[in-house]
Amino acid sequence: MTMPAPAFVGGELDFERLSFTLLLRGAFAIPLAAVAIRWPEPTLVLAMVAAGGVIGTFGIFELAAGLMSGTLPSTRWFFVGHGVASIAFGVLSASIPVASAQGALALSTGWLALNASFTLLLTVRRWEHWRERLAILAWSLMNVACAVGLVLAPPPSTFALLYALALYTFMLGIVQLVAAAWIHSASVRRSAAARPANGP
């Protein structure tokens, strides 16, 4: 029996870990954001700081995993980029309650631009897979629309900005759950397709 190539095995393990990480992140982010949306007055700041802390902490592990990964450079840099974006989201969530209105607005717009840029690069990487390309492009454009909306709209209060962040975090959690399911399904399909070629 021929053993799978190490890069293939490592890549599949990395993607399975990413799927599990996204699943956990979405599972934590959605209820925290839902609590902040439903009961904003007593819970908004605490829930959003907690959600940002969870996402940012997972981002630290993802960044470390990407730097130590033995997969293809493009895959490794995807993990690194996603980890950096997640850490930046954690910093954003913790900074808005204590930042000035202008500072909080600049941080929010900057993070949306960062995330849109990252997802656009991912769209280019998955260009040949049209379903993935359209889904990632749609999420990227939504980030662009949110950033443009923040720039063009009257300056929001800190409370309004945090509430908007809670709504965004709820959507982000859903996107991460969908991404986790897709990555796991794609990994299973790749493993099944490779098994006959590596069989006896």
Side-chain angles (χ1 to χ4, degrees):
M1 177 183 293
T2 305
M3 296 299 292
F8 175 79
V9 175
E12 291 307 307
L13 289 175
D14 283 337
F15 278 111
E16 283 297 332
R17 291 191 192 101
L18 175 61
S19 174
F20 185 64
T21 300
L22 291 172
L23 179 65
L24 287 179
R25 245 192 315 226
F28 277 106
I30 288 174
L32 286 170
V35 166
I37 294 168
R38 177 62 181 83
W39 297 283
E41 292 291 345
T43 66
L44 183 58
V45 173
L46 182 60
M48 291 319 301
V49 170
V54 169
I55 293 174
T57 300
F58 279 118
I60 293 172
F61 289 112
E62 193 172 353
L63 175 61
L67 292 173
M68 295 184 296
S69 174
T71 58
L72 294 173
S74 58
T75 301
R76 184 165 60 249
W77 286 114
F78 162 74
F79 289 127
V80 170
H82 198 261
V84 169
S86 299
I87 294 169
F89 184 86
V91 172
L92 170 67
S93 301
S95 300
I96 285 181
V98 297
S100 65
Q102 287 186 338
L105 184 61
L107 286 171
S108 301
T109 306
W111 187 85
L112 287 166
L114 171 67
N115 200 44
S117 300
F118 170 74
T119 48
L120 276 175
L121 290 174
L122 183 58
T123 301
V124 173
R125 187 177 177 226
R126 306 300 297 174
W127 193 260
E128 60 188 37
H129 305 278
W130 69 271
R131 288 187 181 89
E132 299 168 25
R133 180 181 73 229
L134 291 178
I136 299 169
L137 182 61
W139 179 243
S140 179
L141 292 177
M142 204 211 80
N143 281 269
V144 172
C146 289
V148 172
L150 285 179
V151 171
L152 297 181
S157 65
T158 299
F159 179 87
L161 198 53
L162 269 174
Y163 194 78
L165 180 64
L167 291 171
Y168 180 90
T169 303
F170 187 83
M171 291 187 293
L172 179 64
I174 293 174
V175 167
Q176 294 197 334
L177 288 182
V178 172
W182 167 77
I183 291 171
H184 176 72
S185 175
S187 180
V188 169
R189 289 197 303 270
R190 283 194 299 268
S191 297
R195 197 170 296 122
N198 296 316

